[in-house]
Amino acid sequence: MNECYYDKRMDFFYNRTKTDTADEWTGPQLIGVLCFGTFFCLFIFISNSLVIAAVVKNKRFHFPFYYLLANLAAADFFAGIAYVFLMFNTGPVSKTLTVNRWFLRQGLLDTSLTASLVNLLVIAVERHMSIMRMKIHSNLTKKRVTFLIISIWAIAIFMGAVPTLGWNCLCDITVCSSLAPIYSRSYLVFWSVLNLVVFFIMVVVYIRIYMYVQRKTNVLSSHTSGSISRRRTPVKLMKTVMTVLGAFVVCWTPGLVVLLLDGLNCTDCGIQHVKRWFLLLALLNSVMNPIIYSYKDDEMWATMKRMICCSSEDKSQERRSSRIPSTVLCRSTDISGHYIEDGIIQGTICGKGDLGDKGNS
């Protein structure tokens, strides 16, 4: 019967796989990585929060597609949490971790990846349902969308917990991988192949849907007199989703290929030298998505700008009112009228920006 090593610290497994973690994240390199990671994690939190808030605030986004898009932003937000936890539990600290803490570190990353992947798959189904009927949005009810979102996170949490539940090498250290010293190589092969296959399926589905939309749009354009912008809306939504999917595949595929090579026990592939750069590339994906939403969707960008503009305006008005004594404001109607007029002018300026944005959308 094989001996199990649940009570060992991670230095036992790192030393056995001859993985050097001390020289990879030390000195200036460690400071640079922490600064880089901290900046992008803050951007992930702020930008994805804006996306979620925009979907909640703007009634034009109260449709299944945008609910799922907001859930994808929530997955990116969760990925930011996972990266923050990783930053403070990597490098030399890795060897001091307990087995359970290391499982938590990797489980958070696996959960965020699965949540994004399954969410993109559900969006593909939603787009298929709507596009095949040549509608902008599908007929999914809010209850069904809520059920789908709950299911996405249930699947993500389960997949992130699979190694903790038993598919690991703690009781058979001969099959441990080098990149993930307590993960079984067979699990890494399963994990990477599954994700790469889903990548391929989604790319094929989206290409087929996009070709169908283009063909139908060209046919309808010559037979209908509806507004051009309305006919182009499904195509614009598809371009947004395909750009998000493309960025996801580009950012995550190198890391998954490295995991696959490690699972296949490729000792001459030099995977130890590139693993941290591919991890940073995966982090970049959560940074790119909010930029893609705002760049590809004019209404989303206008809503986000409106929230930022109104927030800064409210703060400036609060500062101004706090500096003016109430007795002065009550002394003269002319003075109070001046401040009211000033506030109206500022609101008009902000409103002009909104109208301009709507005109562009």
Side-chain angles (χ1 to χ4, degrees):
M1 184 176 179
N2 293 332
E3 181 182 359
C4 296
Y5 299 90
Y6 293 102
D7 58 339
K8 297 288 186 181
R9 288 192 173 269
M10 288 306 300
D11 58 343
F12 171 80
F13 300 98
Y14 278 113
N15 292 335
R16 192 182 181 283
T17 56
K18 298 179 181 179
T19 302
D20 189 6
T21 60
D23 297 333
E24 294 177 352
W25 309 91
T26 56
Q29 188 175 12
L30 176 62
I31 296 174
V33 169
L34 288 177
C35 292
F36 179 86
T38 301
F39 172 78
F40 281 108
C41 284
L42 287 174
F43 182 84
I44 288 172
F45 293 144
I46 296 172
S47 58
N48 284 288
S49 296
L50 280 174
V51 172
I52 296 171
V55 173
V56 173
K57 185 174 181 179
N58 193 333
K59 292 184 178 180
R60 295 184 183 181
F61 296 149
H62 291 184
F63 293 98
F65 171 79
Y66 286 103
Y67 291 144
L68 294 172
L69 203 65
N71 192 51
L72 187 61
D76 287 327
F77 187 96
F78 183 84
I81 297 175
Y83 292 130
V84 169
F85 189 83
L86 173 66
M87 280 194 302
F88 295 98
N89 291 276
T90 191
V93 181
S94 298
K95 291 189 175 183
T96 66
L97 299 177
T98 62
V99 168
N100 290 333
R101 193 172 181 83
W102 195 93
F103 272 137
L104 176 62
R105 189 188 82 174
Q106 298 304 123
L108 290 174
L109 291 172
D110 294 345
T111 299
S112 66
L113 169 60
T114 306
S116 298
L117 183 62
V118 178
N119 206 96
L120 283 170
L121 188 60
V122 173
I123 290 177
V125 175
E126 190 275 339
R127 287 293 84 197
H128 186 273
M129 291 172 58
S130 59
I131 294 301
M132 292 306 165
R133 296 182 178 91
M134 286 307 295
K135 294 182 178 180
I136 299 176
H137 300 290
S138 65
N139 295 324
L140 286 173
T141 63
K142 288 186 178 181
K143 288 184 177 179
R144 290 183 179 179
V145 174
T146 302
F147 173 76
L148 287 173
I149 292 174
I150 294 174
S151 300
I152 288 169
W153 285 102
I155 293 171
I157 293 171
F158 173 76
M159 292 301 296
V162 165
T164 310
L165 297 175
W167 199 345
N168 54 60
C169 63
L170 292 176
C171 295
D172 187 7
I173 58 176
T174 60
V175 298
C176 289
S177 70
S178 61
L179 291 180
I182 56 178
Y183 275 13
S184 172
R185 287 197 298 270
S186 60
Y187 173 74
L188 289 187
V189 172
F190 162 78
W191 171 257
S192 54
V193 169
L194 176 64
N195 285 282
L196 290 172
V197 168
V198 175
F199 282 3
F200 178 76
I201 292 173
M202 283 196 299
V203 169
V204 171
V205 169
Y206 277 117
I207 290 176
R208 290 190 62 184
I209 293 177
Y210 184 74
M211 293 174 64
Y212 176 82
V213 170
Q214 289 282 47
R215 186 168 62 251
K216 284 292 185 179
T217 303
N218 292 335
V219 172
L220 292 174
S221 296
S222 59
H223 292 86
T224 61
S225 58
S227 68
I228 296 175
S229 61
R230 181 171 178 82
R231 292 198 299 266
R232 287 180 177 175
T233 300
V235 180
K236 290 176 67 176
L237 292 180
M238 280 304 305
K239 286 182 177 180
T240 301
V241 175
M242 290 183 68
T243 305
V244 171
L245 177 62
F248 188 81
V249 171
V250 169
C251 291
W252 279 100
T253 298
L256 291 173
V257 171
V258 166
L259 290 178
L260 178 60
L261 293 174
D262 186 33
L264 296 174
N265 201 23
C266 180
T267 57
D268 299 326
C269 297
I271 55 179
Q272 292 289 346
H273 303 293
V274 297
K275 63 178 183 179
R276 60 181 178 271
W277 304 114
F278 289 163
L279 182 61
L280 292 175
L281 181 62
L283 168 64
L284 189 61
N285 176 243
S286 298
V287 175
M288 292 171 62
N289 283 343
I291 299 174
I292 295 172
Y293 305 149
S294 58
Y295 178 75
K296 286 290 186 179
D297 194 320
D298 295 334
E299 182 70 20
M300 177 70 73
W301 174 236
T303 304
M304 293 170 68
K305 277 204 305 184
R306 196 178 306 121
M307 289 191 298
I308 297 172
C309 175
C310 293
S311 175
S312 60
E313 181 186 349
D314 291 341
K315 289 181 180 179
S316 64
Q317 288 179 348
E318 288 176 4
R319 286 196 298 268
R320 181 184 300 141
S321 61
S322 64
R323 293 173 184 171
I324 303 169
S326 57
T327 56
V328 175
L329 290 175
C330 296
R331 190 175 300 168
S332 171
T333 56
D334 293 338
I335 297 177
S336 61
H338 168 74
Y339 282 103
I340 293 172
E341 182 182 359
D342 186 45
I344 293 173
I345 292 173
Q346 285 192 1
T348 305
I349 293 173
C350 186
K352 286 181 180 179
D354 294 342
L355 291 173
D357 293 329
K358 289 179 182 177
N360 294 330
S361 60

